[in-house]
Amino acid sequence: MGLDAARTLASEYGGEGHMDIPRAVAATRAARDACIHADRAASMTHRELALKYKLTERQIRNILGVEEEDDRQVGLF
């Protein structure tokens, strides 16, 4: 932001020694999740998505709202 811009902002909106600036976590997460859904629709695997977005495959499955079977696993029953 820069010191001059910060001083201007502080003088305009308060002048206190500090100012809380929201990080927009919910909006950032929603945008990321929309990108994950779009990439999955474009046939990216859970593993590829996890690597691209630096998440675990479990987190990817939770975001997508699906529990995909691992075809490498043999059923017990």
Side-chain angles (χ1 to χ4, degrees), residues 29-44:
R29 187 172 295 142
R32 180 205 63 197
D33 292 353
C35 290
I36 289 172
H37 281 278
D39 286 343
R40 179 66 180 145
S43 300
M44 285 185 76

Side-chain angles (χ1 to χ4, degrees), residues 4-32:
D4 290 335
R7 283 184 181 147
T8 302
L9 191 62
S11 68
E12 194 68 34
Y13 292 101
E16 294 182 19
H18 73 282
M19 178 179 293
D20 292 328
I21 299 174
R23 293 183 5 201
V25 174
T28 303
R29 187 172 295 142
R32 180 205 63 197

Side-chain angles (χ1 to χ4, degrees), residues 17-69:
H18 73 282
M19 178 179 293
D20 292 328
I21 299 174
R23 293 183 5 201
V25 174
T28 303
R29 187 172 295 142
R32 180 205 63 197
D33 292 353
C35 290
I36 289 172
H37 281 278
D39 286 343
R40 179 66 180 145
S43 300
M44 285 185 76
T45 66
H46 289 173
R47 178 169 290 164
E48 291 169 335
L49 292 167
L51 289 170
K52 179 177 180 178
Y53 292 99
K54 296 182 174 94
L55 299 170
T56 64
E57 289 182 52
R58 175 177 276 189
Q59 287 172 306
I60 294 295
R61 285 193 306 272
N62 288 338
I63 290 166
L64 294 173
V66 296
E67 192 63 39
E68 194 169 286
E69 246 184 74

